[in-house]
Amino acid sequence: MAANSSKLMRTAVSAKPQFRWLSARPFSSTDNTTPIEVETNLPFTSHQIDPPSRIVSTTAAELLKFYRDMFLMRRMEIAADSLYKSKLIRGFCHLYDGQEAVCAGMEAAITKTDCIITGYRDHCLFLGRGGSLVEVFSELMGRKDGCSKGKGRSMHFYKKENGFYGGHGIVGAQVPLGCGLAFAQKYDKVGAVTFTMYGDGAANQGQLFEALNIAALWNLPAVLVCENNHYGMGTAEWRAAKSPAYYKRGDYAPGLKILEMDTYRYHGHSMSDPGSTYRTRDEISGVRQERDPIERVRKLVVSHDIATAVELKEFEKEAKKEVDDAIAIAKESAMPDPSELFSHVYVKGFGTE
C-alpha cells in the first residue's frame, strides 16, 4: 500500500516474481552492463494504480550482486541459528532465511537517502543498508561493537546514517513511526521516501490503518510494505484475515502485489518455534524447490553463462569464510560497560547518564 506512489514502480520491478528470458544473447562474466530484458511469469496485481510492465531490465552485474547479497544473508542467518543453539545468542531471535529477495530487490531500486523501518526480523535489512557482518554478530551476542552497542540484540538493529531506523519488537508499532519519518521527509523537502515494513501478522492492527489514513490524507512519501510470509507466528493468514489480499487493504491508497511481498520463511517464527507444528515439512521443502530466490538466481546466472557453477561454488566458500571470520572477531568484542545501562535512555543532557 502506498500513500505516495512516486517511487512505487521502480521498487515493484526490482522484487521480481518468476521470470523467463526474452533475449537470447550469450553472456560472459565480463559482459556485466549489457541490459537483459526479462518477462515476469505472472502479471503484477494492482489496486487503484496501473500495474507496471511485465517486461523488466537487469544486467549480469546486477544478477551477480543479487546472488552474492542473498547468499551472504542466508549464510549469516544460518550461522545465527548455530550461535543461538550454542547459547552465544540469547533472548529473542527471528531469522529471515527465505525472504532475502525482498531486501535485495528493494535495495536495487532505492537509495540510502530513502528510509526503511521494520519489525523484529531485521538482520538482513540492516546488512542490505550497508551494515557489516561484525556489527551483526556483535549485536546478536550482546557485544559493544554491535550496531546498537550490544544493548538491542536481535530485534533492535539500527543504522541511522544509512536510513535504517530499526528493528522494533512490538508488532506493528513501527508503522506509525515510519509515517512520522515520511512526514519529516516531506517537511524538510528532501525528496526521499520511507518504506515501512510489516508482516501479515501485523496487517490487522488498528494502528496500521490509522497511520495509513494520516499518510494518505497528508500525501506523505510513505510506502507500506507487507512482507507476507503467510504465517503470523503459528497462525496461517487465512485463519486471521477475512481478506488476505493485503495490497488492497489501503482502500483509498494505491496498492501493488509486490509491495505486498509474497514471500516465505524457512525457520519458525523465532528460534523458540520449530516451525513444523502448523505447516508440513512437505510444504517447506516444496517452497525450497520451487520458489527459493537464491536457487532461482543461481540457475539464471549459470544457464546464461554469467558465471559457472564452479565459480559460484568458489564464491560460496569465500562467503562462508567471511561469515566465520566476522563471528571470530565478534566473539573477541567486549561486553558493554555497566554504565551503558543508563545511556540512550533520555536525550543527551537530560536524565541520568
Side-chain angles (χ1 to χ4, degrees):
M1 294 179 291
N4 184 314
S5 58
S6 59
K7 292 192 178 180
L8 189 62
M9 298 305 230
R10 60 187 179 92
T11 301
V13 297
S14 67
K16 303 176 182 69
Q18 292 183 338
F19 47 72
R20 63 180 176 85
W21 290 84
L22 289 179
S23 58
R25 289 189 299 272
F27 284 89
S28 69
S29 59
T30 57
D31 188 10
N32 287 331
T33 59
T34 302
I36 302 168
E37 286 191 335
V38 297
E39 183 178 18
T40 61
N41 236 19
L42 299 171
F44 295 99
T45 310
S46 64
H47 170 71
Q48 304 248 21
I49 189 173
D50 293 332
S53 170
R54 292 177 61 179
I55 299 174
V56 298
S57 291
T58 185
T59 63
E62 186 175 57
L63 283 172
L64 285 171
K65 186 176 189 310
F66 286 160
Y67 185 80
R68 183 189 185 282
D69 291 350
M70 291 194 294
F71 186 88
L72 198 62
M73 291 174 188
R74 178 75 55 87
R75 189 64 190 175
M76 178 185 77
E77 294 294 70
I78 298 303
D81 173 283
S82 297
L83 291 169
Y84 192 93
K85 290 171 180 174
S86 300
K87 298 186 178 180
L88 289 168
I89 297 174
R90 309 301 288 263
F92 297 104
C93 186
H94 304 80
L95 301 182
Y96 202 72
D97 49 317
Q99 300 185 205
E100 299 92 347
V102 176
C103 175
M106 284 183 59
E107 288 295 349
I110 65 178
T111 72
K112 296 300 187 291
T113 59
D114 297 313
C115 296
I116 295 177
I117 189 169
T118 190
Y120 37 72
R121 208 176 301 277
D122 59 352
H123 312 158
C124 292
L125 288 164
F126 170 80
L127 196 68
R129 290 268 87 187
S132 72
L133 288 169
V134 172
E135 288 177 301
V136 169
F137 289 116
S138 296
E139 191 61 42
L140 287 172
M141 291 189 281
R143 310 303 174 97
K144 70 176 186 179
D145 290 330
C147 58
S148 298
K149 302 185 182 297
K151 298 189 293 184
R153 299 286 183 116
S154 173
M155 298 196 294
H156 301 290
F157 280 36
Y158 293 92
K159 196 171 185 63
K160 182 180 177 182
E161 65 272 22
N162 282 18
F164 185 61
Y165 288 84
H168 295 266
I170 305 301
V171 174
Q174 73 276 9
V175 179
L177 298 178
C179 291
L181 289 169
F183 176 82
Q185 289 170 324
K186 182 175 182 178
Y187 187 86
D188 292 336
K189 298 180 174 64
V190 297
V193 171
T194 293
F195 295 84
T196 301
M197 319 289 288
Y198 64 97
D200 52 290
N204 299 313
Q205 288 259 331
Q207 59 188 332
L208 189 153
F209 293 94
E210 293 176 34
L212 177 65
N213 175 68
I214 223 62
L217 184 65
W218 292 348
N219 197 29
L220 301 182
V223 179
L224 276 59
V225 182
C226 179
E227 291 188 272
N228 182 7
N229 60 29
H230 302 283
Y231 293 94
M233 298 186 71
T235 304
E237 59 179 345
W238 60 268
R239 294 180 59 204
K242 178 63 176 175
S243 171
Y246 301 112
Y247 69 99
K248 295 181 180 179
R249 289 285 191 91
D251 186 17
Y252 38 77
L256 191 65
K257 190 165 185 179
I258 209 64
L259 288 175
E260 176 204 326
M261 303 291 190
D262 187 345
T263 186
Y264 199 83
R265 56 169 165 80
Y266 295 142
H267 267 83
H269 171 72
S270 69
M271 286 301 297
S272 62
D273 168 24
S276 58
T277 58
Y278 48 86
R279 56 184 183 174
T280 65
R281 295 191 184 277
D282 287 344
E283 176 185 312
I284 300 169
S285 63
V287 174
R288 283 187 183 275
Q289 292 172 12
E290 297 174 14
R291 297 183 55 199
D292 186 84
I294 297 174
E295 288 303 312
R296 186 178 298 169
V297 174
R298 185 206 302 269
K299 290 175 182 176
L300 289 172
V301 168
V302 172
S303 64
H304 291 273
D305 299 324
I306 296 170
T308 67
V310 172
E311 288 170 334
L312 291 181
K313 280 292 182 185
E314 284 301 311
F315 159 71
E316 290 167 11
K317 290 179 184 177
E318 293 172 6
K320 291 174 183 177
K321 184 178 185 303
E322 189 177 345
V323 169
D324 291 343
D325 290 347
I327 291 171
I329 294 170
K331 285 180 177 178
E332 296 299 316
S333 178
M335 302 298 285
D337 188 272
S339 65
E340 288 289 342
L341 284 169
F342 302 99
S343 64
H344 305 107
V345 178
Y346 296 98
V347 174
K348 190 171 183 179
F350 295 88
T352 302
E353 290 287 337

